[in-house]
Amino acid sequence: MDSLFEAARQCLDTADPAEKAALARQHAAAFLRGELGIPEDAAPPEPIRMPGRPPRPQLVHPRDLPRRGLGSDEGRAAFLHAIAHIELNAIDLAWDAVYRFRGLPAQFYRDWVQVADDEARHFLMLRARLQEFGRDYGDFDAHNGLWEMTEKTAHDGLARMALVPRVLEARGLDVTPGIIQRLSALGDLRTVEILETILREEVAHVAAGSRWYRWYCERDGIEPRARFRELLQEYAGGYLHGPFNIQARLLAGFDEDELALLEHVEAAHSDSRSR
């Protein structure tokens, strides 16, 4: 295999989680060594209705997932499983950006291959920690919200960059510090160490989304703040939940106007839900 697009598709199609993560790391390393090229004459990407997935976990609506506290081993295992599921999805999100969007600068592909490699490493760390609690990936139900947004933005790289990294994945920037505090108080320093690594690296991933969102806007002559507002209102209001981690989001490429916009859209949707 010498094409980055073929490597991306292989990762997307792989169902076994451990094999998917291992392939992601293997292909990222090969790309870094210059062994996978970005062919200019590649055929258009084929549709992907659903990436490879194992028989478990069962995918359910988010409201059907039970709420568990972090104070028990079972609750912490369920939490680790939920985060591992997000990271497994994030491997596919990164490879899907590589595979689906063609004719872009080489740095675009370098950025998202690096993200795929990071997400694979995150998944493996979380799965190993989950196994220390006597459980494994697939033991709890999960939801499919991340991939559903990937499908909704398959036609538009600008919308993908605006909504997947900068809305869905950025949610981790908001909630992780509070979880780290709670786990620190419980003395679970091993999980804290993993989450601190993930939080630090996810800032860079969201920043890649910000960078390429603005690149698309500049290329197409679009005003980025106005378009971001339209995309939030069209696709993402229900996904926004404050409070927002202002410092982390500023580091990840948001400006103060965009943060104010997030808060405005979130408040408007909260009002509509309460009526």
Side-chain angles (χ1 to χ4, degrees):
M1 182 177 297
D2 58 8
S3 164
L4 179 63
F5 299 140
E6 291 178 5
R9 185 63 196 247
Q10 185 184 34
C11 282
L12 285 161
D13 289 342
T14 298
D16 180 81
E19 185 180 351
K20 185 187 290 284
L23 271 177
R25 305 221 67 196
Q26 174 186 321
H27 289 327
F31 181 66
L32 188 64
R33 293 192 300 265
E35 296 170 5
L36 294 173
I38 306 170
E40 296 181 1
D41 58 349
E46 298 176 359
I48 303 171
R49 298 306 305 170
M50 186 74 174
R53 286 285 182 270
R56 299 172 61 209
Q58 180 181 348
L59 299 179
V60 301
H61 193 279
R63 67 169 170 262
D64 295 328
L65 293 172
R67 294 184 179 275
R68 297 180 173 93
L70 295 175
S72 67
D73 284 355
E74 184 74 357
R76 236 172 298 166
F79 163 75
L80 286 162
H81 187 278
I83 304 302
H85 181 70
I86 289 170
E87 298 298 323
L88 186 70
N89 271 267
I91 299 171
D92 285 326
L93 299 182
W95 283 119
D96 186 80
V98 170
Y99 177 78
R100 194 180 300 264
F101 302 116
R102 307 287 172 94
L104 298 173
Q107 188 60 48
F108 176 91
Y109 301 105
R110 285 193 288 269
D111 282 351
W112 293 110
V113 169
Q114 180 62 59
V115 170
D117 188 37
D118 289 347
E119 306 292 19
R121 183 163 38 81
H122 296 171
F123 172 77
L124 293 170
M125 288 191 298
L126 289 161
R127 186 182 188 188
R129 181 61 176 147
L130 178 60
Q131 289 170 337
E132 290 172 2
F133 281 86
R135 307 302 293 265
D136 202 354
Y137 181 70
D139 286 354
F140 299 88
D141 291 347
H143 70 81
N144 199 37
L146 280 170
W147 185 257
E148 288 169 0
M149 183 64 82
T150 305
E151 281 285 288
K152 290 177 183 177
T153 57
H155 64 292
D156 185 354
L158 184 153
R160 169 69 62 81
M161 294 297 111
L163 294 169
V164 173
R166 304 188 87 222
V167 174
L168 298 191
E169 294 188 80
R171 179 70 179 141
L173 306 185
D174 302 326
V175 302
T176 303
I179 294 169
I180 287 173
Q181 270 192 329
R182 292 162 62 193
L183 289 172
S184 295
L186 292 167
D188 188 349
L189 301 185
R190 174 64 186 131
T191 303
V192 165
E193 180 184 0
I194 294 170
L195 293 181
E196 287 177 338
T197 298
I198 292 173
L199 177 61
R200 182 172 61 252
E201 295 180 354
E202 291 294 345
V203 169
H205 300 173
V206 178
S210 296
R211 182 164 58 253
W212 289 105
Y213 170 67
R214 294 200 174 93
W215 180 89
Y216 270 106
C217 288
E218 183 177 353
R219 185 195 68 174
D220 298 341
I222 292 171
E223 203 290 306
R225 292 187 186 90
R227 184 61 181 141
F228 191 47
R229 180 186 302 108
E230 292 169 353
L231 289 166
L232 288 177
Q233 292 170 340
E234 182 177 356
Y235 289 101
Y239 292 95
L240 294 175
H241 302 282
F244 301 105
N245 185 339
I246 302 300
Q247 181 181 7
R249 283 180 177 263
L250 288 171
L251 290 171
F254 287 81
D255 62 32
E256 292 183 358
D257 289 341
E258 288 175 322
L259 291 170
L261 174 62
L262 289 174
E263 291 175 341
H264 172 76
V265 173
E266 190 269 342
H269 279 266
S270 294
D271 288 344
S272 67
R273 287 194 298 267
S274 64
R275 291 194 191 110

